[in-house]
Amino acid sequence: MIEIAGLRKGYRRLRGGTHRALDGFDMLVEPGQVHGFLGPNGSGKTTTLRALLGLVRADAGEMRILGHSSPSALPQVIGRVGAIVESPQFFGNFSGRRMLSLLATAGGVPQTRVEEVLAQVGLRERGKDIIKTYSLGMKQRLAVASALLKAPELLILDEPANGLDPAGIREMRELVRALAAQGVTVLISSHILGEIQLICDSVTIISRGRRVLAGPVSGVLDDFDRGDFRIRVS
Ligand code: ATP
């Protein structure tokens, strides 16, 4: 579903020189998996996802998404990929249902999808309420709903548990597992080891812009727990 090889990205430092955010990073995400992308703050997760989605230009490396080169062939997979890599901008005075309806119209998606995605993310009851009354967890689920409108095969979520309370984290976890059960492949980034352990089938661990471990969650995180690769987790 996703293949990344030798990805490099440097950011210019204000005082001169370049900060290597990605230093030859590799990742493989197989179909049907919930794949965790685990690494401490600043390790390069967001940069990787932004590069993959053509939101930032990589300096070097090969990226494929659903078998197409990224970013050059991204237009060919639009609609098959849902992504939340930055907080979506919603109109706070709109109801969740009206917001999704607007996005459906803009995306050429039938309005019947609105009720389907509201149900998928557990917001059918609250769909009539205005967004500014939603908890952060509900806003996150509304964001996932918006990413699901086109019924994507692949969903990319950058730190979806960030800032959520334990109930919100549990709801997000259940939502991701439910989507996986429906056949959606999910790539989910996090700096929280426990989250990845609970939710994912496989994992790639990034540290300082490089892959340090990858594979099935059980094997990889057992190695990790043995202390070979220390990253900050919370
Ligand atoms: P976080 O969980 O904190 O978002 P991350 O693993 O997603 O961390 P990135 O956001 O990709 O990491 O950042 C990787 C490194 O690149 C960090 O050192 C960060 O400060 C730096 N960086 C990211 N974006 C920029 C930018 N636009 N300009 C300069 N440096 C940047």
Side-chain angles (χ1 to χ4, degrees):
M1 290 300 245
I2 296 174
E3 296 168 69
I4 296 176
L7 191 63
R8 293 183 190 279
K9 172 68 186 171
Y11 291 110
R12 287 231 175 87
R13 286 204 176 95
L14 282 177
R15 286 189 214 138
T18 303
H19 170 67
R20 276 192 203 165
L22 294 173
D23 192 15
F25 177 71
D26 304 316
M27 179 159 67
L28 183 65
V29 178
E30 305 275 8
Q33 299 267 297
V34 177
H35 190 94
F37 187 13
L38 179 67
N41 292 119
S43 55
K45 303 182 297 296
T46 301
T47 301
T48 301
L49 300 181
R50 288 176 59 83
L52 181 67
L53 295 165
L55 301 171
V56 74
R57 187 193 293 265
D59 301 328
E62 296 292 321
M63 293 179 286
R64 295 183 78 75
I65 185 163
L66 300 175
H68 294 267
S69 287
S70 184
S72 57
L74 270 181
Q76 293 174 47
V77 293
I78 278 181
R80 295 173 63 198
V81 181
I84 308 169
V85 294
E86 40 217 23
S87 301
Q89 299 297 310
F90 293 133
F91 300 134
N93 287 322
F94 274 34
S95 70
R97 184 173 278 114
R98 188 170 168 216
M99 188 72 234
L100 290 174
S101 173
L102 184 74
L103 293 171
T105 303
V109 174
Q111 290 295 321
T112 48
R113 277 298 289 159
V114 172
E115 291 310 315
E116 289 170 12
V117 296
L118 278 171
Q120 265 181 303
V121 304
L123 282 178
R124 191 178 256 167
E125 297 276 294
R126 295 290 310 270
K128 63 183 183 316
D129 298 329
I130 61 171
I131 295 169
K132 65 183 175 193
T133 67
Y134 285 8
S135 65
L136 186 58
M138 290 167 68
K139 285 182 188 153
Q140 291 279 54
R141 283 186 283 138
L142 184 65
V144 174
S146 68
L148 290 174
L149 277 170
K150 291 189 175 173
E153 296 155 51
L154 170 65
L155 186 62
I156 297 173
L157 304 174
D158 191 14
E159 305 243 14
N162 247 6
L164 299 189
D165 61 17
I169 291 174
R170 195 182 58 245
E171 286 165 6
M172 183 57 69
R173 190 161 62 226
E174 287 167 0
L175 171 57
V176 168
R177 289 304 332 176
L179 292 172
Q182 291 161 26
V184 181
T185 302
V186 186
L187 174 62
I188 182 166
S189 84
S190 178
H191 61 275
I192 304 171
L193 175 66
E195 267 308 300
I196 296 292
Q197 267 172 321
L198 280 172
I199 208 172
C200 296
D201 307 303
S202 52
V203 63
T204 297
I205 300 181
I206 184 172
S207 178
R208 295 168 190 259
R210 295 185 72 94
R211 179 174 72 183
V212 292
L213 280 171
V217 153
S218 49
V220 165
L221 294 183
D222 289 350
D223 285 351
F224 185 77
D225 281 346
R226 281 205 300 270
D228 297 338
F229 297 92
R230 293 252 168 246
I231 65 168
R232 190 178 74 75
V233 292
S234 50

